[in-house]
Amino acid sequence: MTVRSFSLRAASLFALAMLSPAGSAQTPRPTVAERPAPPAAWTSAPFVPLWTGTPPGGGFKAVAVPANDRATFLRNIDRPGLRRFTPARPNGASVLVIPGGAYTFLSIGNEGVDIAGRLTALGYTVYVLTYRLPGEGWTDRADVPLQDAQRGLRMVRAAATKDGLDPHKIAVLGFSAGGHLAATLETDFAQAVHAPRDAIDRIDARPDAAALIYPVIAAAAPFTHAQSAAQLLGKNPDPAAVARRSPAEHVTATTPPTFLLHAMDDRAVVPDNSLLMMAALRRAGRPVESHFLTEGGHGFGVGPAALPAGHWVEMFDRWLQRSLAKTSRPAG
């Protein structure tokens, strides 16, 4: 079933989840000491779980939380979901935001709340994905983040139909390891990583556009981010497992238009990652816009106003409006 023909039942499932007690605010469980509360802008945003009951696979095992951990670093995510941020004047488009954190935590401040505030001011309806972290005991660890990203995109598309937004104007925006997940979603949106559970799982999971901000792309040396790769794939993964989660190797004619942003002085995730993705998109003849900044480092989120890194959201907005206006969905 394609996105053009999915039933209103899928949208109804999303609506019921938003109204159910299970959709109340998620509070990650502390394992070392009482954690400080996340920002009010985060906890006040409506939360809807991705899955009814236990997520696919199972096997969650809580990990120890560092005593000095930031309130904006989420860990021990046994209940993945979406936080919704609604604009005053919707422009019809929705953005699924995927925070980074080396697949070890989710940075929901600079790569969640902050970007949601900037995008809603521009009219976008924003959903921040709280996805499961592969090193927290989950079965099939390399598939867990993609399971949640596919489900999240499908739920955003169902919600767009319900809310009178355009289900063909859905972008994914990912940062760092979240950029790896966004790149995996845009290249492997159709990969079967769990058995379908309901009507939502039959909705098209292909984003209409993708933006990758200082993303991890390589899953192997010399360019990968070692901690992200180890968390996702485990120690000493075989070459097939590495290739399976190397999104630059999966770019095809169906990969959506892509926006890339990277600072050349990024020492954590070297800019060669974005260069790899740009080269793969060019080889496949896919639309790509790339911005490489002299300075900015890693993890700058919306960026400081005094640097060019603080103005990328405006460039992304202009690019996204153009891309969504002229992009036609591939057949099938």
Side-chain angles (χ1 to χ4, degrees), residues 109-129:
N110 63 331
E111 296 167 359
V113 171
D114 290 354
I115 188 63
R118 293 287 291 273
L119 292 179
T120 54
L122 295 169
Y124 295 99
T125 300
V126 176
Y127 295 84
V128 180
L129 179 69

Side-chain angles (χ1 to χ4, degrees), residues 303-324:
L307 294 176
H311 301 277
W312 69 266
V313 175
E314 294 91 334
M315 295 187 295
F316 164 70
D317 173 45
R318 296 188 190 101
W319 170 85
L320 184 56
Q321 292 294 337
R322 295 194 312 271
S323 298
L324 294 178

